[in-house]
Amino acid sequence: MSSTVSIVLIGVAVLFILGIKFLSSPKTARVGNLIAAAGMLIGLIILCKPDGANIWSQGWTFNYTLIAIGILVGLAIGALGAYSVKMTAMPQMVALFNGLGGGAAALVASLEFIHRASPAKMAGTLPPGEPTAALTIPMLFATLIGSLSFSGSIIAYLKLEGKFEKPMTFPGQNFLNGLILLAIIGLCGWLTFNATGGDAVTAFIVMFSLALFFGIAMVMPIGGADMPVVISLLNSFTGLAVAADGFAINNTAMIVAGTLVGSSGTLLTLLMCKAMNRPVTNVLFGAFGSGGSGKAGAGGVAGTVKPIQADEAAVLLAYAQRVVVVPGYGMAVAQAQHQVRELSEELGKRGVEVQFAIHPVAGRMPGHMNVLLAEANVPYDQLIEMEQINPSMDRVDVCLVIGANDVVNPAAREDKSSPIYGMPIIDADRCKSTIVMKRSMAAGFAGIENHLFYKDNTRMLFGDAKASLNALVAAVKAN
Ligand code: NDP
């Protein structure tokens, strides 16, 4: 690789780092996205340059044509996806795009491996000599991690689309998965020292297929509230696969970009596990929702459901000193964030202190509530993290739960047999009174009954969140 290309690639890596830095705040996220995209474009253009005897040596016209076609097709699909996808379907889109990234990383490594393993087929295009372990190991790693990220993400996508109702489990599943993993590791070990010839290509294809299957087998038993953690984990796998590709084809920008995605995905995974009080191993091998009690509609919950009308709820809110709003997925479905801000402003004018309690996995993607409330111009200082607000929840006059369910389910604290037992929740049940806004008694994402709805101090305001909030705002103004 020429020194000019190396220097430009280091510049590209800097753009990626700046992009991530800017992405860390909603205010600068758009600029961050553009900076990272500019880095990607420069990286693509600079790599079209033919560079001696490597896989890019078909000639630059050929390379530029191929890459231009790739960019145009990618732009069309990306723009169409971004314009048409609903905010509530973002996690599916993230899972799908992440899967494609993993698949692409696996294909780059596979092409490079097969190319080197069968020199007879591509005579003259490679430097002479056996591929070294230092090259083979990253290629195998990228193929393994990238392909399981691809198939796992597709299953995650289908699950989030509601194509599979329950986590799919059977006795001995972890044992079988363990055997497949052992076979993959064994094949990778053998290939490290036998990386050329027909047998190597066959063994490589078997390993690739097993890795694809392992991705499916790994994600199938996972479900319910564990899905966001899995998506984040697969995201970090894709990053690691891209970084390994970078080592295999000697590309600094890919090493840096992959490491950034890999490390941020790993950090996010660990933070989400911490937020849900579940070790990663438990998420991967615990088969969320396959057992336990608390299914919606199972009955047996103590207490009765007490509906409330908007007028009565407005009186409670208007004469409260402190109100905490707990937004959830239902607020996103109803697109009610602007009405929430209006209500909070209206209450603020009357001297009511309004805060928003943010659960780390509320909604369907990390930061989902922050993004929606920021879009509606709710001031940042009113958004309070779960750990900060929980200790003072018993001093809250009215807790207004808007389309949240799992993240306020006290079963997570009280019912050891519940699948979500141990997951930290926002303690809405500890407030002096709680109003829950939702359309019916239907369960949330985890599919389990919510004991909060039956508590003595809870009232249910049934209806679409946006319509109910409009009625609330009108009633508060009239008070
Ligand atoms: P939940 O999915 O637990 O509950 C949402 C509630 O919103 C439902 O009970 C539904 O009840 C109600 N709802 C839906 N539409 C409307 C509407 N138009 N108006 C009013 N209410 C509505 O949401 P939470 O935010 O409490 O919890 C998030 C869940 O999603 C967790 O289990 C989390 O693990 C999981 N998850 C989170 C991801 C993330 O990264 N944040 C990603 C993937 C999953 P009804 O139908 O009766 O109206």
Side-chain angles (χ1 to χ4, degrees):
M1 189 179 293
S2 78
S3 57
T4 324
V5 172
S6 302
I7 291 167
V8 174
L9 285 183
I10 289 172
V12 166
V14 171
L15 288 179
F16 288 154
I17 294 169
L18 284 176
I20 288 259
K21 173 78 193 119
F22 280 89
L23 276 168
S24 62
S25 155
K27 277 185 188 158
T28 52
R30 281 167 200 256
V31 181
N33 231 342
L34 287 176
I35 293 177
M40 189 64 79
L41 188 64
I42 298 172
L44 282 173
I45 292 170
I46 196 79
L47 282 174
C48 293
K49 190 177 170 295
D51 188 26
N54 62 23
I55 66 165
W56 306 106
S57 59
Q58 295 279 357
W60 67 271
T61 326
F62 179 78
N63 288 344
Y64 271 117
T65 312
L66 263 192
I67 288 179
I69 293 172
I71 290 177
L72 287 178
V73 172
L75 271 179
I77 296 175
L80 209 70
Y83 278 113
S84 59
V85 76
K86 289 192 195 143
M87 270 304 265
T88 46
M90 281 303 275
Q92 287 93 306
M93 188 162 118
V94 171
L96 193 63
F97 282 3
N98 176 57
L100 295 180
L107 285 180
V108 168
S110 307
L111 179 69
E112 190 73 5
F113 184 92
I114 292 175
H115 188 64
R116 286 172 182 270
S118 48
K121 287 185 199 157
M122 314 220 182
T125 60
L126 270 178
E130 290 270 308
T132 62
L135 270 184
T136 311
I137 290 172
M139 285 179 218
L140 294 172
F141 183 80
T143 308
L144 163 59
I145 300 289
S147 49
L148 81 82
S149 174
F150 169 72
S151 54
S153 298
I154 299 298
I155 298 296
Y157 164 79
L158 293 172
K159 279 184 171 235
L160 290 171
E161 279 286 286
K163 304 289 180 210
F164 304 115
E165 283 286 300
K166 276 189 69 172
M168 294 199 179
T169 54
F170 55 84
Q173 193 163 25
N174 285 341
F175 179 72
L176 182 72
N177 288 355
L179 278 186
I180 299 171
L181 189 61
L182 269 183
I184 293 173
I185 293 172
L187 280 169
C188 286
W190 184 81
L191 282 166
T192 304
F193 302 103
N194 302 279
T196 43
D199 286 351
V201 174
T202 311
F204 181 82
I205 291 169
V206 173
M207 188 277 286
F208 195 139
S209 314
L210 282 177
L212 282 175
F213 183 75
F214 185 72
I216 299 172
M218 190 179 94
V219 179
M220 272 303 199
I222 302 171
D226 288 343
M227 284 312 286
V229 183
V230 175
I231 291 171
S232 159
L233 187 70
L234 292 171
N235 205 354
S236 73
F237 281 3
T238 294
L240 294 177
V242 170
D245 269 352
F247 282 107
I249 62 171
N250 191 21
N251 182 315
T252 328
M254 282 175 92
I255 296 174
V256 175
T259 311
L260 285 173
V261 175
S263 53
S264 42
T266 308
L267 283 177
L268 183 60
T269 308
L270 296 177
L271 285 172
M272 287 175 102
C273 282
K274 195 169 158 235
M276 292 163 68
N277 203 19
R278 284 160 70 77
V280 183
T281 44
N282 194 288
V283 170
L284 288 178
F285 309 116
F288 180 100
S290 57
S293 68
K295 284 278 148 204
V301 182
T304 51
V305 173
K306 295 166 285 299
I308 190 172
Q309 297 305 316
D311 289 351
E312 205 186 329
V315 175
L316 279 179
L317 290 166
Y319 292 98
Q321 280 186 345
R322 187 174 170 217
V323 168
V324 164
V325 175
V326 184
Y329 174 64
M331 184 187 79
V333 176
Q335 285 293 294
Q337 60 274 22
H338 297 280
Q339 284 69 19
V340 176
R341 196 240 317 125
E342 212 182 330
L343 177 66
S344 124
E345 281 176 358
E346 216 41 63
L347 292 173
K349 282 185 204 158
R350 302 180 63 100
V352 182
E353 184 195 356
V354 183
Q355 291 173 313
F356 292 79
I358 308 296
H359 191 286
V361 296
R364 289 292 184 274
M365 62 179 179
H368 201 167
M369 297 301 116
N370 301 66
V371 171
L372 290 176
L373 295 172
E375 181 199 314
N377 292 325
V378 173
Y380 288 129
D381 57 7
Q382 283 186 13
L383 312 191
I384 317 288
E385 301 286 329
M386 174 179 65
E387 300 85 20
Q388 279 161 10
I389 205 151
N390 267 346
S392 65
M393 286 299 265
D394 52 357
R395 297 195 294 280
V396 172
D397 298 308
V398 185
C399 178
L400 189 61
V401 178
I402 306 179
N405 191 337
D406 296 341
V407 301
V408 288
N409 190 342
R413 243 187 12 238
E414 297 163 356
D415 179 2
K416 284 196 174 149
S417 67
S418 169
I420 61 166
Y421 182 70
M423 174 175 118
I425 53 156
I426 292 174
D427 295 336
D429 56 319
R430 289 192 171 143
C431 299
K432 290 178 194 157
S433 68
T434 305
I435 300 171
V436 178
M437 299 171 67
K438 69 199 293 290
R439 297 164 307 180
S440 66
M441 289 302 288
F445 187 80
I448 56 174
E449 191 74 77
N450 193 334
H451 298 216
L452 171 71
F453 306 158
Y454 300 86
K455 297 245 170 188
D456 287 343
N457 56 349
T458 301
R459 310 288 297 273
M460 304 294 295
L461 178 51
F462 288 115
D464 173 73
K466 192 187 257 180
S468 297
L469 280 162
N470 278 330
L472 271 183
V473 172
V476 168
K477 280 182 180 165
N479 256 283

